[in-house]
Amino acid sequence: MSHICYLVHPKKCFCQISSTLLKKWAIERYIKNRPTLELLESVTSMSDKEAISAVALLDADDETLLDMMGDVNLADHHILHCRENARKLLLELKADMA
């Protein structure tokens, strides 16, 4: 990610962000193909910004994900596991939209 410095560092794991927010921003980012920075600029709420940043990390490599989620007070394996669950959610959303 070339503009990673602009992302909000999530303080919550994927499992701690409401599924409604994750779904909303996953659809905007990965189904409607809106750029992450555009999404971040379109909101003022910290919870939306955090959810958008978490969604942007769905396709990040493990090292980048764990670096960006360094403020989440959970074990690395927990964060990686939750990202996989969020990826499954995205695949389900894509299948439902097809």
Side-chain angles (χ1 to χ4, degrees):
M1 289 184 187
S2 60
H3 299 293
I4 204 161
C5 60
Y6 294 107
L7 296 179
V8 173
H9 287 250
K11 294 186 181 356
K12 296 179 184 172
C13 181
F14 295 96
C15 66
Q16 296 170 320
I17 298 171
S18 83
S19 60
T20 303
L21 278 181
L22 285 177
K23 287 178 186 177
K24 174 183 178 177
W25 297 116
I27 289 168
E28 291 296 322
R29 174 65 191 96
Y30 293 103
I31 295 173
K32 294 182 179 178
N33 295 313
R34 291 183 61 196
T36 300
L37 292 178
E38 177 184 309
L39 294 174
L40 286 169
E41 291 170 356
S42 74
V43 298
T44 56
S45 151
M46 216 34 215
S47 60
D48 281 325
K49 287 181 183 286
E50 185 170 43
I52 292 166
S53 291
V55 165
L57 294 170
L58 289 176
D59 57 0
D61 62 83
D62 291 354
E63 184 179 334
T64 301
L65 169 73
L66 295 173
D67 180 50
M68 287 295 297
M69 290 198 140
D71 293 339
V72 175
N73 193 20
L74 294 168
D76 290 355
H77 68 274
H78 178 98
I79 295 168
L80 292 169
H81 173 75
C82 289
R83 180 188 51 186
E84 288 309 309
N85 288 339
R87 283 178 172 169
K88 289 176 189 173
L89 173 70
L90 177 58
L91 289 175
E92 290 171 9
L93 288 170
K94 285 182 175 182
D96 289 345
M97 299 283 182

